Structures are given as structure tokens and as C-alpha cells.
Amino acid sequence: GRKGIPVTLLVRSEGIASELNDHHRHPRYMSDITLPTSIRATADPQTALSDATYVVHSVPVQYSRSFLEDVKEYIPKGVPVLSASKGIETTSLGFMADILRETLGDERSYAFLSGPSFAREICEGVATAVVIASEDVDLTNDCADLFSSENFRVYTSHDVIGVEVGGAVKNVIALAAGMCEGLELGTNAMSGLVTRGCAEMRRLGRSLGARPSTIAGLSGVGDTFGTCFGPLSRNRKFGYRLGKGETMEEILASTTEVAEGVDTAIALRAMIKARLKGYRLDLKYPILFGVADILEGNQTPEDGLKGLMNMPIRKEAFERYEL
């Protein structure tokens, strides 16, 4: 990459690999960006992975398990894996930490990168701050040293579940924010919606063992801000089109971009029901549950807003302590 460290990209086809190697540009995605010459590409997993020192995984969550099963034999034993994928798998209701351990085993260390980090801005050298979390302290520090530069600031954490919760939930909140914008509800409504969405993120994180400080940091509130208000957000764009009256099927048929929040919203609601105990979970997570209902066609974005505004009056925060 830009630091002169040799990087090999594992891509889908030899045609794309040739384009990257010959012209240092991707033929389809951000084709105006010229990549450093130290980045090479191949469609052969053995060539890409057999002598790797670190593996960076950025395949969308819903496709990660099958991809990892296909390439795991080529990843050397003990080589650590850094995941930049965010979301919850619809079949297992697991986070990336679960998928990685189930496919690649427990005999290696894993780290997880999250935070407001749109790919285009990183490629353009715009200042970016992220967090990398791992239960392995040495791996966390090594990854921070490896990826940090004058334009890319890496903070460290050991709160893996907190980073994963933030990375998954923020995409669902962004869908809701996009719907709010599509309905032309104004800044007051958007600000209130995103704030209450972050409250649901914090509540879920605490229930799963996350630290409140992690949810309030780059991987939680920070990434939520970028995804809800940033013009490059795929999830916000998807929600915006829903708010404008398009159906989910129409939107999916017209784009090749993956909005992770769509699948994650359905999986998140199922995971909350399966793993959390309590009465009327829909009242504790009205935005997260509401987005899932809208995506399934059980209500419209307009109905969802009415439901939020007509909820019972209560305290803004009812946890044992407030952040």
C-alpha cells in the first residue's frame, strides 16, 4: 500500500486481477482511483494467501462463511485475521467473531476494524480515524502500527463485542435516517431519530456485555454519524429511496452495491428475540424492530414514524446509570 508494504488482493476473476496489475485501477469500483504499485491482485487463493503475514477480510457478512470455507485451506496456521466486515449473519445470528472462529478455528488471533471509514475517502487520502479491537493485546498494537499513517489514525480496544455491535446496528439506524430524509421530515426529526437509535445501540450493547465507552466511541456513535449523514452511505441511500416510496425489490434490482443494513436489520431483530430476555422487547428497540418490519413490508415508513411518535411517554434514559 502507501507505506510500501507488499499487499496482495484476492479478487473474483483473472480479468479484474489483470486490470489491477496492469493499470492499478479497478474496472468497476472507484475506477478513477489509482492504487499504489505495491498492491498486486490475483484470483488464485493459494497465490494470495499461502505466504501471508496478515489476512484482511472485507467480504460482506452474508457471504463470509461460504467464502472462508472455500479459502481456509490456503491460510497458514497461526496467521492472524483482521475483519473489516460489519453485520449479523442471517442464518446463524452471529457476528463476524463467531463466523471466523467457526470457520477458521480458535488457533489463531482475530481483530476487528470499525469506525467512520468510507472507502473512497480513505483512497483519496482524507483524514480518517478508526478503532481496531482484539482480545489479543499484541495483535491490536501490531495492527495499529501496521495501518496507522498521517492520514489514517488507528485507536485500539479490547472490547470486541462492543465494536461489533456498533458496526452492525449503525447500518440499521442509517436505513431509518435515510427513510426520514426521504419523507422530508426535517432536521429535528432526523436528529431525534439518530439519537434514539444510538440509545437502542447502547442498550443492546450493555445487554451483550459491551462497554458503554465503546458504543460512545468511533465504532458506535462515530460510525453512526458518518453512515446516517454522509453522502457516500449505501444504507442511507437505500433508506432514502424507501422513504420516497420505492419498494425494496425495486431498489435491489437497480443497484449492485451491498447495503449491509438490509439483511442485518432482519437478523438483528431475530437475535435480540433469541438472546435477550424481557417483556415487550419491541418497546425497548422500537427503531430497530420498526426498520425490520418496514423491510418485510409489514408497515410503511410513514406508519413507522407514527408508531414512534405515539409510543408511551417515559424517561429519556431508564438504565441504572446514564452516559
Side-chain angles (χ1 to χ4, degrees), residues 303-315:
D303 292 336
L305 173 68
K306 290 178 183 177
L308 287 174
M309 295 303 292
N310 289 305
M311 287 184 63
I313 302 298
R314 62 184 184 184
K315 290 183 179 180

Side-chain angles (χ1 to χ4, degrees), residues 287-310:
I287 295 174
L288 302 184
F289 278 43
V291 170
D293 283 342
I294 291 169
L295 293 175
E296 289 182 333
N298 298 325
Q299 63 176 338
T300 66
E302 295 90 341
D303 292 336
L305 173 68
K306 290 178 183 177
L308 287 174
M309 295 303 292
N310 289 305

Side-chain angles (χ1 to χ4, degrees), residues 55-71:
V55 172
V56 179
H57 176 86
S58 58
V59 176
V61 170
Q62 307 310 326
Y63 305 98
S64 285
R65 186 180 296 274
S66 60
F67 172 81
L68 290 168
E69 289 287 357
D70 289 340
V71 304

Side-chain angles (χ1 to χ4, degrees), residues 62 86-88 90 168-169 172 260-269:
Q62 307 310 326
K86 306 170 185 177
I88 299 173
T90 55
V169 175
V172 182
E260 284 274 25
V262 175
D263 287 323
T264 295
I266 308 300
L268 183 61
R269 182 184 59 187

Side-chain angles (χ1 to χ4, degrees), residues 1-9 17-25 33-42:
R2 292 194 181 102
K3 297 177 72 172
I5 299 171
V7 175
T8 301
L9 299 177
S18 296
E19 187 75 18
L20 286 164
N21 293 331
D22 295 341
H23 304 289
H24 309 293
R25 296 173 184 265
I33 299 290
T34 300
L35 298 174
T37 56
S38 58
I39 297 178
R40 306 296 295 172
T42 180

Side-chain angles (χ1 to χ4, degrees), residues 264-276:
T264 295
I266 308 300
L268 183 61
R269 182 184 59 187
M271 187 269 288
I272 290 173
K273 289 182 176 180
R275 297 178 62 174
L276 304 186

Side-chain angles (χ1 to χ4, degrees), residues 189-267:
M190 174 78 82
S191 300
L193 178 73
V194 173
T195 302
R196 295 310 303 166
C198 289
E200 293 183 26
M201 177 192 292
R202 184 177 71 240
R203 187 172 300 123
L204 176 61
R206 287 189 58 206
S207 297
L208 297 177
R211 298 174 182 171
S213 58
T214 304
I215 301 301
L218 288 166
S219 62
V221 172
D223 210 355
T224 301
F225 287 170
T227 310
C228 289
F229 302 116
L232 299 176
S233 169
R234 296 186 298 267
N235 292 285
R236 186 193 63 80
K237 291 177 185 176
F238 197 103
Y240 177 85
R241 294 177 66 178
L242 284 173
K244 285 296 184 184
E246 293 185 65
T247 66
M248 190 166 73
E249 292 73 20
E250 290 170 340
I251 301 171
L252 291 173
S254 66
T255 182
T256 59
E257 294 184 326
V258 177
E260 284 274 25
V262 175
D263 287 323
T264 295
I266 308 300

